[in-house]
Amino acid sequence: GGVAEQAGKIADLVDAIPDRIADLRRSGRKIGHIVIAGLGDLGEGTCGHYPAQQFRIELDRREQLKLVRRGIRDILMNIAPLSEKITVTAVGGNHGENRGLAGKAFTTTGDNDDVAVFEQVAEIFAANPSAYGHIGFRLPLERLSVALNLSGHNVAFTHGHLSKPSGNAGQSVWNWWKDQTMGKGHPGVADANMLITGHYHHLNVKEQEGRVVFVCPSLTAVGEYFQDSYGVKTRAGTLSLVIEEDGWGDLHLIN
């Protein structure tokens, strides 16, 4: 749909997220701690990620990040009055890397646009503690994952590109998670009982033996490459769910 359609989807989230919180509260859910998680690939990058990218891309890197930054800002400003405790977290995705024409990242793991843009927003909000002091930012430096304790559950977030595709997104991430549990390369991930990822552009949930993986869809209706491989298109949306002491529920796609 191009930039205009995607900008509209971001703008829609500014009201759609508070509307979802209101719906949950009307249904009896006691929504206290609100978490906003950026799962990466918030910008496309400009080269080195997929074929014909330089030909097809509409915005340069600065313009992409301006759109993303303003969207994050507006979303957070609109949910700020809705809870006394709000946490914002983010992880780096493959499209947030600084890549050259060879398609390889040439700086550090932490040098990632997907986290840097949240860092910029955090600094802006820190200038007004009376209005936004209750919004905390949990941003990794070099790590490609982050973990939060939510209602007694260790919930980890990562983009998902570290996993190896195996034909099923949930299984791909699950296999990577099992390796992390044994090797503890990502301590927060290794000890988590919930893992939330992106990267694969469609919703996939896998639960087994007290652990669950949520693969989130993308805000873009990804068609071309996914459809060429699997014959179907993906459903775009933003994943929301409720985590309570007894587990997770109220899974819903905002779109």
Side-chain angles (χ1 to χ4, degrees):
V3 172
E5 182 173 327
Q6 293 309 308
K9 288 183 177 182
I10 295 171
D12 288 344
L13 286 175
V14 175
D15 291 321
I17 293 173
D19 287 347
R20 177 59 183 158
I21 294 169
D23 287 343
L24 287 165
R25 285 174 170 159
R26 279 193 292 267
S27 71
R29 293 295 191 190
K30 295 180 180 179
I31 306 299
H33 185 188
I34 297 172
V35 177
I36 299 291
L39 292 178
D41 285 2
L42 303 180
E44 280 290 289
T46 55
C47 68
H49 293 279
Y50 56 85
Q53 184 176 14
Q54 289 171 281
F55 173 79
R56 300 180 62 179
I57 208 74
E58 293 183 57
L59 300 181
D60 64 24
R61 182 176 171 185
R62 179 177 177 177
E63 290 173 323
Q64 290 179 43
L65 295 181
K66 183 191 300 182
L67 179 63
V68 171
R69 183 174 63 250
R70 290 177 175 178
I72 296 168
R73 175 201 65 189
D74 292 350
I75 288 169
L76 295 182
M77 288 177 66
N78 219 28
I79 69 167
L82 302 182
S83 175
E84 295 181 355
K85 185 177 182 181
I86 298 172
T87 299
V88 182
T89 191
V91 290
N94 50 307
H95 281 265
E97 297 172 348
N98 281 314
R99 292 192 181 190
L101 294 175
K104 299 293 185 180
F106 55 86
T107 58
T108 64
T109 302
D111 184 17
N112 195 296
D113 290 341
D114 296 320
V115 180
V117 70
F118 276 91
E119 192 172 57
Q120 295 160 9
V121 173
E123 292 176 354
I124 295 168
F125 276 55
N128 191 351
S130 61
Y132 304 115
H134 62 300
I135 300 180
F137 287 80
R138 178 75 178 276
L139 305 175
L141 294 175
E142 293 297 324
R143 291 192 180 278
L144 291 173
S145 64
V146 68
L148 302 173
N149 187 292
L150 304 176
S151 299
H153 298 277
N154 190 11
V155 183
F157 302 84
T158 191
H159 177 61
H161 63 301
L162 300 175
S163 64
K164 296 179 180 179
S166 63
N168 180 283
Q171 190 61 49
S172 298
V173 176
W174 191 274
N175 292 339
W176 175 80
W177 194 9
K178 286 195 298 184
D179 291 342
Q180 298 307 312
T181 302
M182 293 298 294
K184 293 189 179 296
H186 292 249
V189 172
D191 298 331
N193 62 315
M194 297 186 191
L195 179 61
I196 302 177
T197 76
H199 187 61
Y200 288 98
H201 298 268
H202 66 284
L203 177 64
N204 191 298
V205 181
K206 176 178 172 61
E207 186 171 37
Q208 182 176 317
E209 296 180 350
R211 285 183 162 176
V212 58
V213 166
F214 299 97
V215 179
C216 299
S218 68
L219 196 60
T220 305
V222 180
E224 182 178 322
Y225 300 110
F226 192 86
Q227 188 174 18
D228 287 345
S229 297
Y230 300 104
V232 295
K233 291 185 178 180
T234 62
R235 179 183 173 190
T238 298
L239 186 68
S240 71
L241 68 151
V242 174
I243 298 175
E244 298 177 314
E245 289 184 12
D246 60 355
W248 63 273
D250 298 285
L251 202 70
H252 177 75
L253 281 187
I254 301 172
N255 52 20

